[in-house]
Amino acid sequence: MALARSRRMAEGERVDKPGNIVERARAKINLTLSVVGRRADGYHELRSLVVFADVGDTVTLQLGSSPNVSVAGPFGADITGRNLVAEALAKLGQREPRLQLGSVEIEKNLPVAAGLGGGSADAAALLRAIRRANPENADTFDWIGFAAELGSDVPVCFVNRPSLMWGRGEKVLPLTSLPSLAAVLANPGVPVPADKTTQVFRRLSAPPIPETLPDPEPPPSITRAEDAIAYARAHTNDLAEPARDVIPACREVEAALASCDGCQLARISGAGPTCFGLFLSTEAAQAAAQQLSRSHPNWWVRSVTLG
Ligand code: C5P
């Protein structure tokens, strides 16, 4: 499968043509992430409250064209090695030859290997585009099961709504009552090891757990932003400490976010290094993003709404 690089494309630039299916691959944020233990298969049993930001990549499926994947956008050149979208396309073609596929263009607006689930969100967006293109298979194919084969974050990105995620990541319960949250995302732009997530998980000394566990209780119904922030504060990201060890720049980003006026909570998302700060208003988040962009011009900083 060819992985071509097309010209650099400005963020947001997009040309929709007939026959194209466009899906947004939004940044994934782990508001909370607790590690219950190490499973017999080597993966870790998680409980995570996941939300999505209103920034992301764009995945365009051009139906009927040969199944190539091309990458454009501000961070397109940073994708090296494994491309989950190319993997998803190739595997799906073998698994379900009846599915109508095509070529894929990824507009990469999110930093890569950032803890924002970018590659997973792109693969999940492709699956949603293919499901839309194949309505007769929409209900007969196990999209979530296939998503889980691609990676632990792909199922929740496929659902693309605030969710409780558990198991290795393959179990997802969409939550209807979570309010939108004003936030700032900040990424230090430092190089990260290709196997960053594996390194972060390896540093945990999580206890072995039984093969079957009861499903977790869903979080309480939360309707006010203040309560969502209080819920996030009362829980942790268990990957934060190992993430700081693997990528020391995480500490500086968390501290810079925490020092912004009005920041209610600053935390690493997933295995980092992107951190998020929660605010009580969009204005406060925008002011903080401006302040951070001025003081750290090399960081990727965005004021966003999480939901
Ligand atoms: O599933 P995915 O390929 O995204 O996982 C990357 C790595 O992160 C795995 O190889 C594993 O080391 C670690 N991981 C884990 N437990 C999870 C998810 C990921 O140990 N629930």
Side-chain angles (χ1 to χ4, degrees):
M1 180 141 330
L3 179 61
R5 297 202 191 290
S6 40
R7 71 185 173 82
R8 277 179 101 77
M9 204 187 232
E11 189 166 340
E13 186 185 338
R14 193 166 95 182
V15 183
D16 292 350
K17 296 193 214 109
N20 282 3
I21 296 185
V22 182
E23 279 283 337
R24 192 98 185 282
R26 298 191 292 157
K28 172 224 71 167
I29 301 293
N30 300 92
L31 268 191
T32 69
L33 192 159
S34 92
V35 177
V36 179
R38 194 166 29 82
R39 310 191 328 183
D41 64 4
Y43 281 90
H44 290 80
E45 177 76 21
L46 309 179
R47 310 276 183 259
S48 180
L49 186 55
V50 176
V51 291
F52 293 90
D54 57 349
V55 291
D57 300 336
T58 302
V59 173
T60 304
L61 172 66
Q62 190 173 12
L63 285 174
S65 313
S66 57
N68 293 327
V69 178
S70 63
V71 188
F75 292 98
D78 295 348
I79 302 182
T80 52
R82 190 176 178 213
N83 184 314
L84 261 191
V85 168
E87 225 170 272
L89 197 57
K91 263 194 180 174
L92 207 49
Q94 286 163 1
R95 187 77 55 86
E96 273 293 329
R98 288 170 305 172
L99 289 176
Q100 197 191 358
L101 303 177
S103 65
V104 183
E105 178 165 312
I106 307 169
E107 183 190 311
K108 198 79 206 152
N109 300 317
L110 297 176
V112 306
L116 296 171
S120 303
D122 292 346
L126 173 64
L127 296 189
R128 288 198 304 272
I130 293 173
R131 186 179 56 173
R132 274 170 61 194
N134 294 272
E136 64 288 357
N137 292 90
D139 300 325
T140 53
F141 186 70
D142 177 11
W143 298 95
I144 291 281
F146 184 78
E149 287 179 34
L150 295 172
S152 304
D153 280 341
V154 185
V156 76
C157 290
F158 180 77
V159 170
N160 194 27
R161 285 172 51 189
S163 297
L164 176 69
M165 157 181 134
W166 74 101
R168 179 200 137 204
E170 75 280 19
K171 295 178 187 149
V172 179
L173 174 72
L175 302 171
T176 46
S177 72
L178 211 64
S180 329
L181 295 171
V184 174
L185 308 183
N187 179 287
V190 294
V192 299
D195 62 344
K196 169 202 72 180
T197 308
T198 306
Q199 284 196 30
V200 169
F201 272 105
R202 260 204 211 124
R203 281 173 192 249
L204 292 168
S205 48
I209 47 154
E211 215 153 282
T212 51
L213 284 177
D215 287 345
E217 285 294 315
S221 166
I222 301 174
T223 51
R224 297 182 333 141
E226 290 88 333
D227 296 335
I229 293 169
Y231 179 88
R233 266 211 211 100
H235 295 76
T236 54
N237 175 5
D238 288 346
L239 297 183
E241 201 46 43
R244 291 180 195 118
D245 289 345
V246 174
I247 312 161
C250 288
R251 294 177 198 278
E252 198 192 338
V253 183
E254 284 177 287
L257 276 167
S259 71
C260 289
D261 278 349
C263 182
Q264 306 292 308
L265 170 71
R267 178 169 285 167
I268 296 172
S269 180
T274 303
C275 300
F276 63 90
L278 299 181
F279 294 80
L280 287 172
S281 73
T282 303
E283 292 71 28
Q286 284 171 343
Q290 275 172 13
Q291 181 189 327
L292 273 188
S293 301
R294 268 196 303 270
S295 55
H296 297 89
N298 296 329
W299 289 5
W300 179 87
V301 178
R302 293 289 182 278
S303 160
V304 298
T305 301
L306 302 178

